Amino acid sequence: MRVALFITCVNDTLFPGTGKAVVSLLRRLGCDVDFPAAQTCCGQMHVNTGYRDEGVRLARHFTEVFAGYDAIVAPSGSCAAMVREQYPKLVQPGSRGAAAVAEVAPKVYDLSEFLLDVLKIDDVGAYFPHRVTYHPTCHSLRSLHLGERPTRLLRNVRGLELIPLGGADECCGFGGTFAVKNPAVSAAMCADKVRNVLDTGAEVLCAADNSCLMHIGGTMKRQRTGVRIMHLAEILAATEER
Amino acid sequence: MSGTFLGMPGGFPANAAVAVQDSQLRYNLRKATHTIRGKRVKAVEELPDWMELRAAGKAIKDHTLRHLDRYLLQMEEAVTRAGGTVHWARDAAEANRIVTDLVKATGEREVVKVKSMATQEIGLNEHLAAEGITAYETDLAELIVQLGEDFPSHFLVPAIHRNRSEIREIFLGKMAEWGRPAPPDLTDDPPALADAARLHLRERFLASKVAVSGGNFMIAETGTLVVLESEGNGRMCLTLPETLISVVGIEKLLPTWRDLEVFLQLLPRSSTAERMNPYTSTWTGSAEGQDFHLVLLDNGRTGVLADEVGRQALRCIRCSACLNVCPVYERTGGHAYGSVYPGPIGAILTPLLRGFDTELDASLPYASSLCGACFDACPVAIDIPEVLVDLRAKVPHGRVERAGMKVAGWVLNNEVRLAKAQRLATRFRKLVPKRLPGPLSAWTDTRDLPDIPEESFRDWWERTRRSERSGRPRNEGGRGVSEER
Amino acid sequence: MDTGAMGAREEILGRIRAAVKGAPDVEIPRDYRTSVTVADPVGLFAERLDDYRAIVHVVPAADVDAKVAELTEGKRMVVPGERAWTRDELAAADGVVTGCAIAIAETGTIVLDTRQGERAQTLLPDYHLCLVRADQIVGGVPDAVARLDPARPLTWISGPSATSDIELNRVEGVHGPRTLEVIIST
């Protein structure tokens, strides 16, 4: 199986550790991972902010870069949802690039989907002896319908104590440019999310999207809460002999 | 009360920034929305065929909208045959004129009103007042809003922003000006407040000769109007007065009587989370000898219908489930949206109906984090995030933002440019200020920035692959080498 | 109807036709339960009424008269059809006793279709005693819609008058009858 890593522009630029973790994890599970170097960005920011033309250009670029792979794995529920759920509407049937979208989009998986649905693995042999709470993130929850997949993986991590997060399904207030366009509401939403995280007493806040984690983590850091943020891939990549 | 919402300059973000500072409002909204959320999920999960009802509801509405001309004519014929009179109103001014003339023709100077979004949308009460006619709101929450000289902030519970003690203050202070005063020993116990409203309005119901209502549904096949309510004020208004005038948006049509079997299940469970609302009244034409007038209202709806993506907003049955689950609405309340249609549905419906002419209306499509909770909760499957994103593509963008997005698009559309930009960021990573300037300060006001790593992922991949090819042991990556954040 | 109004009618219809031109038609899937089967209609109906805080009695048909007499003893009851009632009489009465057109088990709903009395008669008195025969109870909403005649004004009643207008919490008793009592005859 030819597996491509779709790193996403945010992870590429700001969270390379997550990408390294995905590579390490998938290699450990026997996958040969390729990183198509021409990849850039899925175009979500442009489309969701109202710049559809730029978004369509990026979508076409994406489908050209990732054509021919059996599976495309992204450590981001939001970017995976953008490609899989939004591309078919963005690049209208019959228009240029629509055929490539129809071919590529269904092969894009969030990491936890790939592990559970494609590799059929729910115990990745990870070890992480910490108290962790999990924020499911909106697009993972309501666009990709990841459901229990990420927490199933976390429950099988040795040493890990998973603490349920109150109001887990509520948005953290990131929303891409929403955080800048409506900063007051965004901050108010994040304040409630942070309060819920702190109520768990967890050491680590985990999610499958670094954008949301960057938002919640940035607020928690400003407030000196001492709670770390970690992408799901980084916890799953951690082993006893690290 | 004035017919227009007074917004702050700066549109929704400015209104919202004020609203989120109001801790009483935040508390009231949080309490109310969180109460209803859990109940709605329970009411919906109780039905084994909810998703099938939702699919049918969506399709019935879409089908009706596709043939709206035909069904409106069928409705007109059926109502006329049953002794009612049908009027057509292109816009708010025309609808207001029709209603005013009808009221004047009765010689009455007072009307009782059943809660109605359509008459709020057209500012009927204010128009009637200017013509010397007093409109008395009879729904408890509308009464609270009217007495408090306030604006509605929710479809179902227009006074959701008020808590019980505020309601008590309003009743004690204002009821006497409008009719029977509140009992001086009124407490803030909800049953006591409800009783005060009952006593205050009782004589009004018995004396009123003209009522104005909206309608939840109209059945084209039979000419039947349908009103769902809880308190009995609707029954009072629909039954007792000699003249009944119903102002109904043209999109409220359903083709057949049978279609009600779908919507009488979808609406109560989505709105009040009940198996059924306490009272539903249906009537066809002149019932029990009443003089009945139906005013069919366009007021921008045909414009929405012409929008291929946006027309799904006309499926809306005003249940308010999207408001109740919306994290933005929960923090800002309804007033920030500057329209009788607040919340997620308002963020699309208001600009669809009114356009982007004001700063407020142009900001509404951005009043969402696109979290998708509204779409999930919608009983007629309006993909609100899809319409929001579509409207964002249509709304005029600011010059600075346009330039910034163009540059970002140029960088992101080419891996070499992206890599160069990343290396530039890496080189100056220590120089990134704690507080960003300009519009980006909105981020750093409340959040720290993530540290920029020493090396982007793509550079790491390239470097380690090179070393692999030259035979040196490969850097395994993973947590061991992940960056400190 | 004046010409201005006719103009509005034609203009609105014209705008609609222009707006939907070329749009595809939509099939209506009816995969939901078009008829609802309930194992114990009387039991479920009674339970659902109770959830609305209505008072429920299940009695054998032969005992209904005695039960009505017991419940209405000493009360000035409106009996529709007995004679004409003025609005003031209705408002001053202690209660009203009626039958129903149909009842729905799954939602605890009673439907009146004016054959039980004019709408005002079941609205103004503060107490409504409703007699429901077991054979009038259908399973779900679709069953009721199919059996009702829209030409008659219908009143669907699900529990006593209530409001959720204060903090979105349900409170019983606003403008309609504050007490709903139901006798189900089996």
Side-chain angles (χ1 to χ4, degrees):
Chain A
M1 181 159 42
R2 292 191 69 214
V3 180
L5 170 63
F6 162 36
I7 182 70
T8 83
C9 61
V10 167
N11 288 327
D12 181 11
T13 309
L14 294 172
F15 303 100
T18 297
K20 296 173 199 175
V22 176
V23 172
S24 157
L25 173 67
L26 293 181
R27 282 180 179 160
R28 194 172 81 213
L29 299 173
C31 289
D32 191 14
V33 187
D34 193 13
F35 176 77
Q39 65 177 282
T40 55
C41 165
C42 66
Q44 177 169 204
M45 177 185 75
H46 280 98
V47 171
N48 284 356
T49 312
Y51 296 82
R52 189 175 277 161
D53 294 347
E54 279 85 353
V56 170
R57 270 196 287 279
L58 291 167
R60 291 205 181 107
H61 181 78
F62 181 97
T63 48
E64 280 162 26
V65 170
F66 285 97
Y69 287 96
D70 299 312
I72 300 147
V73 182
S76 163
S78 189
C79 301
M82 172 69 193
V83 178
R84 215 166 69 197
E85 308 298 320
Q86 288 210 59
Y87 272 17
K89 287 188 218 165
L90 184 66
V91 185
Q92 302 239 321
S95 71
R96 187 168 68 83
V101 166
E103 195 237 307
V104 171
K107 293 177 183 161
V108 174
Y109 299 91
D110 169 74
L111 177 66
S112 64
E113 285 178 309
F114 181 72
L115 295 174
L116 284 156
D117 301 354
V118 181
L119 298 184
K120 315 273 184 209
I121 296 172
D122 67 357
D123 184 347
V124 298
Y127 173 72
F128 190 72
H130 297 281
R131 292 193 309 279
V132 175
T133 192
Y134 185 77
H135 170 52
T137 75
C138 301
H139 294 168
S140 299
L141 199 64
R142 286 179 282 267
S143 289
L144 292 183
H145 303 285
L146 291 189
E148 298 291 308
R149 288 182 186 84
T151 44
R152 248 177 86 192
L153 291 161
L154 285 173
R155 274 180 226 287
N156 288 326
V157 172
R158 266 161 290 288
L160 187 147
E161 185 192 345
L162 185 64
I163 307 167
L165 177 64
D169 60 351
E170 289 169 35
C171 177
C172 73
F174 173 61
T177 46
F178 174 78
V180 184
K181 282 180 175 278
N182 275 289
V185 191
S186 169
M189 287 161 71
C190 200
D192 290 338
K193 181 59 72 181
V194 167
R195 196 174 60 180
N196 280 325
V197 171
L198 296 182
D199 283 349
T200 65
E203 305 158 71
V204 176
L205 170 68
C206 176
D209 249 304
N210 275 327
S211 307
C212 310
L213 283 177
M214 176 173 77
H215 185 232
I216 309 168
T219 304
M220 292 198 300
K221 200 169 163 195
R222 175 66 57 86
Q223 296 175 7
R224 300 180 181 84
T225 60
V227 179
R228 270 190 300 161
I229 53 166
M230 277 180 87
H231 192 280
L232 177 66
E234 294 167 32
I235 290 178
L236 298 181
T239 53
E240 216 146 352
E241 59 273 15
R242 59 162 279 234
Chain B
M1 174 170 125
S2 126
T4 49
F5 288 82
L6 297 174
M8 312 272 298
F12 181 84
N15 293 347
V18 175
V20 297
Q21 294 304 319
D22 185 340
S23 68
Q24 178 75 69
L25 175 72
R26 289 267 299 276
Y27 176 82
N28 294 352
L29 285 165
R30 187 181 164 82
K31 187 157 182 256
T33 55
H34 283 246
T35 303
I36 196 78
R37 273 180 210 174
K39 287 192 203 166
R40 187 194 68 88
V41 170
K42 239 179 97 191
V44 164
E45 282 178 350
E46 189 180 276
L47 287 187
D49 54 348
W50 182 258
M51 292 316 279
E52 288 79 11
L53 285 165
R54 187 176 187 243
K58 169 182 190 255
I60 291 168
K61 282 285 186 181
D62 283 347
H63 168 83
T64 315
L65 291 168
R66 176 64 188 82
H67 305 286
L68 194 56
D69 54 337
R70 170 151 63 86
Y71 288 126
L72 281 170
L73 290 172
Q74 197 184 357
M75 180 75 195
E76 179 185 48
E77 198 200 320
V79 170
T80 310
R81 196 170 52 229
T85 310
V86 177
H87 311 259
W88 301 69
R90 277 166 285 213
D91 54 25
E94 192 164 23
N96 285 329
R97 200 168 55 239
I98 292 167
V99 177
T100 307
D101 289 348
L102 288 170
V103 177
K104 282 185 175 168
T106 66
E108 294 294 316
R109 311 304 284 174
E110 292 180 358
V111 300
V112 282
K113 278 191 71 202
V114 193
K115 188 184 143 26
S116 135
M117 301 301 301
T119 58
Q120 274 173 28
E121 176 191 320
I122 62 175
L124 178 66
N125 291 8
E126 295 72 24
H127 185 88
L128 288 174
E131 298 279 337
I133 298 163
T134 310
Y136 293 93
E137 292 290 351
T138 64
D139 169 77
L140 177 51
E142 289 291 358
L143 179 68
I144 296 163
V145 168
Q146 187 171 47
L147 294 177
E149 292 169 44
D150 200 352
F151 293 105
S153 68
H154 190 277
F155 293 166
L156 175 72
V157 195
I160 194 170
H161 55 289
R162 300 287 196 184
N163 67 19
R164 59 186 73 184
S165 68
E166 292 172 286
I167 294 166
R168 172 178 171 270
E169 293 301 316
I170 291 168
F171 279 9
L172 283 171
K174 294 286 184 175
M175 267 188 174
E177 289 174 29
W178 288 79
R180 183 178 171 137
D185 57 349
L186 181 66
T187 68
D188 67 359
D189 188 29
L193 295 169
D195 196 46
R198 178 186 172 94
L199 292 171
H200 178 73
L201 286 171
R202 190 46 62 142
E203 291 149 35
R204 180 88 56 213
F205 286 132
L206 289 169
S208 291
K209 299 273 191 278
V210 184
V212 176
S213 86
N216 293 98
F217 306 104
M218 305 187 277
I219 314 295
E221 173 189 47
T222 58
T224 307
L225 269 286
V226 184
V227 167
L228 280 71
E229 53 137 351
S230 297
E231 296 167 13
N233 65 306
R235 290 176 71 191
M236 293 279 179
C237 293
L238 301 172
T239 309
L240 302 181
E242 291 160 10
T243 301
L244 172 61
I245 305 163
S246 300
V247 181
V248 187
I250 52 174
E251 83 284 16
K252 296 284 166 198
L253 267 181
L254 301 176
T256 67
W257 174 248
R258 184 194 177 180
D259 296 325
L260 261 192
E261 71 189 17
V262 174
F263 291 94
L264 287 184
Q265 298 192 73
L266 290 175
L267 182 49
R269 288 177 196 260
S270 298
S271 88
T272 48
E274 291 167 301
R275 295 188 178 107
M276 193 63 93
N277 50 298
Y279 301 131
T280 296
S281 298
T282 77
W283 73 97
T284 302
S286 161
E288 295 182 322
Q290 247 179 352
D291 187 17
F292 173 61
H293 295 269
L294 172 63
V295 182
L296 296 170
L297 178 71
D298 180 345
N299 202 35
R301 284 159 178 75
T302 47
V304 184
L305 190 62
D307 183 315
E308 280 183 35
V309 177
R311 64 167 63 124
Q312 57 184 308
L314 295 178
R315 283 186 216 137
C316 176
I317 55 174
R318 312 283 190 263
C319 71
S320 63
C322 65
L323 278 62
N324 297 335
V325 299
C326 178
V328 176
Y329 177 86
E330 178 192 330
R331 271 89 188 175
T332 66
H335 294 161
Y337 295 80
S339 154
V340 294
Y341 301 113
I345 186 67
I348 61 173
L349 199 53
T350 302
L352 282 166
L353 287 168
R354 303 203 294 219
F356 302 125
D357 291 344
T358 66
E359 190 176 13
L360 177 76
D361 291 354
S363 70
L364 286 176
Y366 293 95
S368 165
S369 65
L370 303 178
C371 85
C374 49
F375 179 31
D376 273 11
C378 179
V380 287
I382 301 170
D383 191 342
I384 294 175
E386 180 190 29
V387 181
L388 285 167
V389 168
D390 189 63
L391 288 170
R392 289 177 186 187
K394 289 169 178 164
V395 77
H397 301 127
R399 197 149 35 98
V400 175
E401 184 191 281
R402 220 163 50 224
M405 293 303 267
K406 218 174 168 71
V407 171
W410 182 76
V411 171
L412 288 171
N413 201 21
N414 178 289
E415 66 278 13
V416 179
R417 289 196 285 265
L418 174 60
K420 278 188 183 149
Q422 287 168 336
R423 279 175 218 133
L424 198 67
T426 298
R427 183 159 348 133
F428 295 108
R429 57 198 281 261
K430 301 287 181 215
L431 301 177
V432 176
K434 274 254 171 247
R435 309 271 161 151
L436 293 176
L440 295 176
S441 66
W443 180 276
T444 51
D445 281 349
T446 57
R447 317 139 178 115
D448 280 0
L449 288 168
D451 294 330
I452 295 172
E454 282 176 37
E455 183 182 44
S456 69
F457 177 83
R458 66 179 61 240
D459 282 351
W460 171 82
W461 177 270
E462 200 42 49
R463 182 169 59 77
T464 51
R465 273 230 317 195
R466 252 202 317 274
S467 57
E468 269 171 49
R469 282 198 291 265
S470 60
R472 278 183 293 165
R474 129 178 129 192
N475 186 339
E476 268 301 322
R479 232 181 82 72
V481 293
S482 79
E483 309 296 318
E484 277 302 305
R485 279 161 171 168
Chain C
M1 206 174 278
D2 61 45
T3 50
M6 284 307 287
R9 179 178 185 266
E10 294 317 314
E11 197 174 324
I12 292 169
L13 291 170
R15 288 180 195 166
I16 292 168
R17 286 168 189 145
V20 300
K21 196 157 182 261
D25 201 358
V26 180
E27 285 296 308
I28 299 168
R30 295 197 191 259
D31 305 325
Y32 56 87
R33 298 171 301 162
T34 51
S35 177
V36 176
T37 312
V38 172
D40 173 19
V42 170
L44 185 63
F45 179 59
E47 183 195 312
R48 296 287 147 99
L49 278 170
D50 186 60
D51 283 350
Y52 295 131
R53 278 172 245 183
I55 307 160
V56 191
H57 310 272
V58 183
V59 302
D63 298 348
V64 169
D65 288 349
K67 192 72 193 176
V68 171
E70 177 201 324
L71 294 174
T72 58
E73 200 195 330
K75 290 191 174 120
R76 287 168 304 159
M77 296 295 287
V78 173
V79 183
E82 210 177 65
R83 63 176 174 86
W85 304 79
T86 67
R87 296 262 158 97
D88 288 337
E89 281 177 326
L90 291 172
D94 289 326
V96 59
V97 57
T98 71
C100 75
I102 211 162
I104 308 170
E106 195 170 74
T107 60
T109 303
I110 290 159
V111 187
L112 309 180
D113 67 1
T114 68
R115 283 180 296 182
Q116 302 79 28
E118 286 170 15
R119 290 178 293 173
Q121 293 169 340
T122 52
L123 175 61
L124 291 173
D126 200 16
Y127 166 72
H128 182 189
L129 176 61
C130 189
L131 313 182
V132 179
R133 294 192 319 269
D135 63 15
Q136 290 179 306
I137 304 171
V138 298
V141 173
D143 307 282
V145 169
R147 286 166 177 77
L148 289 163
D149 176 6
R152 296 178 182 283
L154 303 178
T155 306
W156 300 51
I157 298 171
S158 305
S161 153
T163 183
S164 300
D165 280 355
I166 302 163
E167 300 171 6
L168 263 170
N169 258 315
R170 186 178 159 113
V171 176
E172 278 82 16
V174 197
H175 303 296
R178 286 183 286 191
T179 310
L180 175 67
E181 194 153 7
V182 180
I183 300 174
I184 307 171
S185 61
T186 55

